[in-house]
């Protein structure tokens, strides 16, 4: 094998020949000379490596400058950032983007909408309160001047403990920019003292407010009330108000959406009477123990689109509520009797029919744990010609064979609720119907794709778009359902539970 300049064997032979006849001192001098040359070469190598690395960095920087991402206008880059941020992880995503490089950080920090996602603020952070408050301040500053959405939490609040800290002060400082505010405290209880502080702020941008359940922690002798008349844009409100000693004033006439848990029902109706522009209303309240006497004044709510009534307590009487209401634009009605401790809801069919005549365009009806009879429910159907969606939960008492048969389509006859195409039935108790009668009714209102294409069946009743049967059913019933599925009918069996 030929020797190379770096061959150790060749170098040994070379140096042996060079030092032939030399003394040990001469050889020591040769070693020092070589080591000196090594030092010089290493210095030259280090300098060259530094020059090489600098040139490599220069190349990388130049490539970085002409990369497609850097040719984008800042506005387009900010839009890309915005599209990469997910609602469920927007805090993590925003911080990640702002830590990629200084350029991206500069763009992110100057794009307020990236910092406007809903944030949850823990008001009871004690160990690192200042650090938490400083971080919150920076986050909120970057969102300015845009509106922000905030949820305030305080898990271990108790009476007499003030809700005041650097954290709460930072949140309250931007109250004029809140678009959405939710209060979620220990066991759902919100101290009235905190609500009062919020109500005293300017709430220029507030559109949606969730106050939770307000607990009285203000001395009864304190004349201050909770007034939100400084919220000119407020449209949606959710609130639980069970304390008679509290007075909460809201610009009711502005509201379009109201969810209210309140007792007694007269207070609920009095509040509703002030909501002249309400579109969606949901109430949890008790029923009347005594039916009011005399002819009630009818409250007209021309914009009401959806109404939900959930009753609890020892009375299920709700008819007085509907007796006093006219909602000609009503599309969705939900009635839930699941938390009442009575089998008597005082359903007065004539009164309910009168309500239906005042609200003739109801398309969705949800009924839970009703005490109607089969005849009552059939009467409801007779005055619900526009009904497209029906959901029955725990209504086995009224949904019997006679009621099911009344929904069955037979050639040459008129069927009840001819526009019905979306049906959900949740069987929670023992059945009061025969399974094959239910399947027969569902099948009678179905047309296969081939029948529709050939116009073999008249469009007297709507074709199903969704049928959902919840609960435990026998194997024979499941087989019948599977037969319908093979025909293309969109029917599903699911576990029960509301």
């Amino acid at each position: 094998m030929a020797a190379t300049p770096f061959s150790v064997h060749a170098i040994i032979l070379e140096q042996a020949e060079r030092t032939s006849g030399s003394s040990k001192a001469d050889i020591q001098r040769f070693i020092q000379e070589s080591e000196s040359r090594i030092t010089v070469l290493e210095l030259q190598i280090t300098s060259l490596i530094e020059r090489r690395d600098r040139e490599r960095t220069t190349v990388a920087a130049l490539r970085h400058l002409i990369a497609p991402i850097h040719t984008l206008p800042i506005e387009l880059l900010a839009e890309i950032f915005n599209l990469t941020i997910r609602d469920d992880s927007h805090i993590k995503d925003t911080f990640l983007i702002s830590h990629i490089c200084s350029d991206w950080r500069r763009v992110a920090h100057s794009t307020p909408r990236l910092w406007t996602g809903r944030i949850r603020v823990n008001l009871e952070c004690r160990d690192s309160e200042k650090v938490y408050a400083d971080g919150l301040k920076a986050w909120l500053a970057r969102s300015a001047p845009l509106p922000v959405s905030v949820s305030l939490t305080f898990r271990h609040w108790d009476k007499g403990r003030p809700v005041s800290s650097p954290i709460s002060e930072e949140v309250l400082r931007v109250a004029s920019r809140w678009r959405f505010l939710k209060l979620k405290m220990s066991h759902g209880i919100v101290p009235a003292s905190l609500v009062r502080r919020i109500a005293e702020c300017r709430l220029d941008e507030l559109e949606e407010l969730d106050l939770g359940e307000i607990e009285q922690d203000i001395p009864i002798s304190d004349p201050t009330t909770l007034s939100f008349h400084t919220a000119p844009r407020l449209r949606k409100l959710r609130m639980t108000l069970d304390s008679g000693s509290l007075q909460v004033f809201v610009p009711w006439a502005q509201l379009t959406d109201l969810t209210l848990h309140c007792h007694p029902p007269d207070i609920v109706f009095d509040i509703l009477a002030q909501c002249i522009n309400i579109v969606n209303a949901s109430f949890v309240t008790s029923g009347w123990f005594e039916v009011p006497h005399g002819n009630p004044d009818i409250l007209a709510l021309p914009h009401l689109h959806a109404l939900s009534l959930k009753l609890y307590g020892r009375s299920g009487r709700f008819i007085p509520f509907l007796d006093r209401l006219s909602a000609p634009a009503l599309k969705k009605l939900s009635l839930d009797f699941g938390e009442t401790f009575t089998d008597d809801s005082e359903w007065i069919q004539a009164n309910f029919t009168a309500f239906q005549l005042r609200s003739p365009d109801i398309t969705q009806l949800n009924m839970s744990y009703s005490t109607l009879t089969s005849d009552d429910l059939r009467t409801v159907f007779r005055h619900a010609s526009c009904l497209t969606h029906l959901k029955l939960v725990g209504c086995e008492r009224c949904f019997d064979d006679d009621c099911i048969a009344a929904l069955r389509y037979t050639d040459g006859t008129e069927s009840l609720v001819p526009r019905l195409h979306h049906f959900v039935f949740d069987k929670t108790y023992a059945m009061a119907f025969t399974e094959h009668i239910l399947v027969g009714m569902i099948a009678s209102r179905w047309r296969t794709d081939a029948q529709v294409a050939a116009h073999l069946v008249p469009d007297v009743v709507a074709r199903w778009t969704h049928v959902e049967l919840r609960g435990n059913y026998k194997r024979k019933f499941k087989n019948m359902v599977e037969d319908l599925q093979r025909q293309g009918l969109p029917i599903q069996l699911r576990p029960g539970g509301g």
Side-chain angles (χ1 to χ4, degrees), residues 73 82 98 116 170 176 185 187 230 237 265 334 377 392 435 495:
N82 188 58
S98 65
T116 57
E170 290 300 336
S176 61
M185 305 298 165
H187 308 294
T230 60
L237 173 65
S334 298
L377 188 56
L392 300 175
E435 291 180 340

Side-chain angles (χ1 to χ4, degrees), residues 40 70 152 179 193 200 324 372-373 383 405 482:
V40 172
H70 295 288
L152 303 182
R179 187 202 64 80
S193 56
E200 291 171 347
R324 303 157 69 181
L372 278 68
T373 65
H383 296 89
E482 290 171 358

Side-chain angles (χ1 to χ4, degrees), residues 1 13 31-32 38 58 117 138 222 249 282 315 347 411 446 482:
M1 183 184 210
L13 293 177
I31 292 174
Q32 291 176 358
I38 290 173
T58 300
D222 190 335
F249 294 98
S282 179
S315 175
W347 178 277
D411 291 344
W446 172 248
E482 290 171 358

Side-chain angles (χ1 to χ4, degrees), residues 286-291 311-320 337 339-349 369-373 376 397:
S286 62
W288 274 264
F289 282 97
E290 294 183 4
V291 178
L311 300 180
Y312 67 90
R314 297 189 176 280
S315 175
R317 295 186 179 96
F318 73 100
I319 286 295
F337 307 92
E339 295 186 13
T340 57
F341 303 105
T342 177
D343 291 332
D344 183 8
S345 65
E346 289 292 328
W347 178 277
I348 304 174
Q349 185 58 63
Y369 307 101
S370 77
T371 58
L372 278 68
T373 65
D376 290 334
R397 175 178 172 180

Side-chain angles (χ1 to χ4, degrees), residues 118-304:
R118 184 179 301 183
I119 59 173
R120 186 177 66 178
V121 178
N122 182 4
L123 297 181
E124 62 178 347
C125 181
R126 303 298 181 191
D127 296 337
S128 54
E129 188 173 65
K130 187 178 185 307
V131 174
Y132 190 101
D134 290 344
L136 178 63
K137 181 179 181 179
W139 178 280
L140 293 173
R142 291 168 191 157
S143 66
L146 299 181
V148 293
S149 297
V150 179
S151 294
L152 303 182
T153 65
F154 197 94
R155 185 172 301 173
H156 300 297
W157 173 79
D158 52 47
K159 290 185 179 181
R161 181 177 182 179
V163 184
S164 178
S165 69
I167 299 172
S168 61
E169 294 307 315
E170 290 300 336
V171 177
L172 291 171
R173 188 172 287 115
V174 298
S176 61
R177 291 200 290 119
W178 291 340
R179 187 202 64 80
F180 167 90
L181 176 65
K182 179 178 181 179
L183 307 182
K184 188 175 182 181
M185 305 298 165
S186 63
H187 308 294
I189 304 298
V190 178
S193 56
L194 175 60
V195 178
R196 181 172 62 178
R197 290 197 64 195
I198 292 171
E200 291 171 347
C201 296
R202 287 183 54 188
L203 304 171
D204 299 338
E205 299 291 337
L206 188 63
E207 298 177 7
E208 187 171 351
L209 177 61
D210 187 343
L211 291 176
E213 182 175 351
I214 304 175
E215 174 74 12
Q216 173 66 283
D217 69 330
I218 302 174
I220 297 178
S221 59
D222 190 335
T224 304
T225 56
L226 309 179
S227 175
F228 285 90
H229 286 289
T230 60
R233 301 171 63 91
L234 185 63
R235 296 294 181 269
K236 299 180 180 182
L237 173 65
R238 179 186 293 268
M239 178 174 62
T240 297
L241 187 60
D242 284 337
S243 175
S245 61
L246 284 174
Q247 288 185 310
V248 180
F249 294 98
V250 173
W252 304 108
Q254 296 177 190
L255 298 184
T256 59
D257 293 69
L258 174 61
T259 299
L260 180 64
H261 186 155
C262 184
H263 171 80
D266 288 315
I267 295 179
V268 173
F269 198 87
D270 289 343
I271 289 175
L272 182 60
Q274 302 175 64
C275 302
I276 57 176
N277 291 303
I278 200 70
V279 175
N280 301 299
S282 179
F283 302 111
V284 180
T285 187
S286 62
W288 274 264
F289 282 97
E290 294 183 4
V291 178
H293 298 291
N295 294 324
D297 294 332
I298 300 297
L299 170 63
L301 296 176
H303 307 292
L304 185 61

